[in-house]
Amino acid sequence: MRILQVCAEIFPLLKTGGLADVAGALPSALQDLGGDVRVLLPGFAPILEGLEDASLVAELVPPGALGTAPARLLHGRLGACNTEAYVIDAPGHYRRPGGPYADGTHQPYPDNHLRFALLGWTAAQLAMGLDPRWVPELVHAHDWHAALAPAYLRAAALTHQGPLPASVFTVHNLAYQGLFDGRHFAELGLPDHFFAMHGVEFHGQLNFMKAGLYYADRITTVSPRYALEIQEPEQGCGLDGLLRDRAHQLFGILNGVDEAVWNPATDALLSATYSAAQLAGKARCKAALQRELGLRKAGRAPLFCVVSRLTEQKGLHLVLKALPALIEQGAQFALLGSGDAGLEAAFAEAAHTHPEAVAVRLGYDEPFAHRLIAGSDVIMVPSHFEPCGLTQLYGLKYGTLPLVRRVGGLADTVADTRLETLDHDATGFVFDAFSADGLLQAAARALALYRRKADWTLVQRRAMALPCGWDVPAAHYLALYRRLVT
Ligand code: ADP
């Protein structure tokens, strides 16, 4: 089956969060199961630089204001991602200093609606045969950046002779919707009647995410529990009604771990490799990490870590509040993150106050994320909401027990450690109340287990042995595609 994946970022070329990890791993996993996969991406500099053997597919002639900057479609191979790709080379839209979505001062680009409408529109052109040598049978769009693909496909169906591919839209985070002033709708070249409650309009605004949710043939999200949560007002971000209406076409498929990238037995970024059977290397990773961070070298002090975007979603103010009590009980703490200036300053201050027990590295650092997760004992993910979460999965895989809030994909992937679960399925520490007290109660269980070496190792080995590759989720996606492609 010819499958077109449409997304805005892809590991290892361009990554701002978990979306890139998924986009980087899913194509290979689908190919392993026999899928014929290509990825469509905007021509951001790192993506164009990663495109090998590029050839011109077509000059693009987009409608409305999308066509204000010249654009052409290239085909080639993204060797680093092990996939064939189409890349939209439109320097006016995508070649800018700053990030893919916002400038150097974190201000979203004012023409983001055009930049990402072009992505969705181009997907629909490919679906209509823009590259006659490869016409997709299924279009799979990811998050709001690609969410207009199903809308343009639906619009194409109004005039196109012959069959068009089915579409799947995956929500990686419902909180980021791509909301724009309603007047911009006229610039997109979509039929007028699409700007309606039954369409892309959202309380007078233009909502890309809603377009994906409304027009895609099937909707998926990245964990079964999040699929249920987003149908309720609390986590539905205003779109829960639409999601309830489409409940029978909405599925939760858990993300996997790319074991070519995240595997302690083969990870070349670590000072020592290790496995569930041979854990000695993990102690060496911890000692090296404590040295690197200037923490007191204490094998017996449990080391808690966080690797995260610093945003309200991630619940890190709970960690800040809990930190003095954690240190008081002999724990150490290390954080890698960037984002909210207030949180950055508060964590830096904590490290300044407790240099022997707290280390903070602000910024984005992929190799250090590996060293930090491998060298720590516990990884904390106390999110307010969490569609899937990947760092707790990396924690499981690296024997760094996750301490998580019981929400979204965190609840689906971590089993709490209690007396009755210790010999059964315990893999981490789970709490309910979104409070520092809730977190501290789970931390108390982590500290107690840490003092019981044999029990700790039992849970650690179980966590490391959990199957978490991309083979299972890819099989679920393929089964979903097959039901749509007759
Ligand atoms: P989200 O997509 O909401 O940011 P996920 O847990 O799904 O959260 O994915 C986050 C990804 O980004 C993980 O691969 C994590 O290791 C990585 N990451 C987050 N912050 C940093 C950072 N400061 N440096 C390196 N990697 C980071």
Side-chain angles (χ1 to χ4, degrees), residues 314-339:
K314 300 293 180 178
L316 296 170
H317 58 287
L318 305 187
V319 174
L320 274 171
K321 265 199 186 161
L323 211 45
L326 265 182
I327 299 166
E328 180 73 31
Q329 294 171 79
Q332 297 183 332
F333 172 74
L335 171 135
L336 168 64
S338 64

Side-chain angles (χ1 to χ4, degrees), residues 154-233:
R154 188 67 65 89
L158 299 175
T159 53
H160 184 73
Q161 308 284 322
L164 282 170
S167 61
V168 173
F169 177 63
T170 296
V171 178
H172 294 263
N173 192 336
L174 193 65
Y176 300 95
Q177 299 188 351
L179 272 175
F180 304 96
D181 193 308
R183 72 191 153 84
H184 290 308
F185 173 78
E187 300 165 26
L188 305 183
L190 283 166
D192 290 347
H193 70 275
F194 278 33
F195 195 67
M197 192 181 91
H198 295 290
V200 305
E201 187 256 348
F202 183 71
H203 305 294
Q205 289 186 289
L206 165 62
N207 186 327
F208 275 44
M209 176 71 79
K210 189 180 169 206
L213 299 179
Y214 187 78
Y215 289 109
D217 294 303
R218 293 292 181 276
I219 305 164
T220 75
T221 188
V222 287
S223 70
R225 173 135 170 175
Y226 192 59
L228 296 175
E229 289 170 348
I230 56 179
Q231 294 177 50
E232 301 297 329

Side-chain angles (χ1 to χ4, degrees), residues 219-447:
I219 305 164
T220 75
T221 188
V222 287
S223 70
R225 173 135 170 175
Y226 192 59
L228 296 175
E229 289 170 348
I230 56 179
Q231 294 177 50
E232 301 297 329
E234 195 192 327
Q235 294 215 30
C237 303
L239 293 168
D240 45 295
L242 171 54
L243 286 158
R244 278 196 301 279
D245 284 349
R246 301 211 58 192
H248 53 297
Q249 293 156 334
L250 165 63
F251 304 93
I253 300 177
L254 262 182
N255 285 336
V257 169
D258 187 342
E259 290 169 308
V261 180
W262 291 95
N263 181 352
T266 54
D267 192 334
L269 297 168
L270 307 185
S271 39
T273 53
Y274 59 92
S275 65
Q278 294 284 346
L279 278 165
K282 186 162 174 71
R284 288 206 288 281
C285 289
K286 180 171 177 180
L289 180 67
Q290 286 169 324
R291 226 179 5 257
E292 178 178 356
L293 292 176
L295 293 172
R296 189 165 28 88
K297 187 183 169 317
R300 310 256 311 265
L303 175 49
F304 289 64
C305 79
V306 164
V307 177
S308 186
R309 290 184 295 119
L310 303 183
T311 63
E312 200 153 322
Q313 171 195 344
K314 300 293 180 178
L316 296 170
H317 58 287
L318 305 187
V319 174
L320 274 171
K321 265 199 186 161
L323 211 45
L326 265 182
I327 299 166
E328 180 73 31
Q329 294 171 79
Q332 297 183 332
F333 172 74
L335 171 135
L336 168 64
S338 64
D340 180 89
L343 282 170
E344 287 193 356
F347 277 111
E349 175 65 26
H352 185 70
T353 314
H354 308 279
E356 294 236 297
V358 177
V360 168
R361 191 169 288 188
L362 301 176
Y364 190 89
D365 187 338
E366 193 79 28
F368 182 60
H370 285 242
R371 296 201 297 281
L372 182 54
I373 292 176
S376 298
D377 299 298
V378 176
I379 184 161
M380 293 193 277
V381 195
S383 304
H384 182 51
F385 66 92
E386 194 59 74
C388 177
L390 288 171
T391 56
Q392 88 281 7
L393 296 180
Y394 302 150
L396 291 168
K397 183 91 193 152
Y398 280 63
T400 306
L401 300 186
L403 189 164
V404 304
R405 188 156 168 265
R406 197 186 315 276
V407 70
L410 301 172
D412 284 340
T413 54
V414 182
D416 192 24
T417 303
R418 299 182 172 276
L419 267 183
E420 66 274 24
T421 63
L422 185 59
D423 290 322
H424 175 49
D425 65 351
T427 54
F429 313 96
V430 186
F431 67 100
D432 287 283
F434 189 58
S435 66
D437 275 351
L439 186 152
L440 276 170
Q441 280 170 25
R445 294 203 301 286
L447 292 165

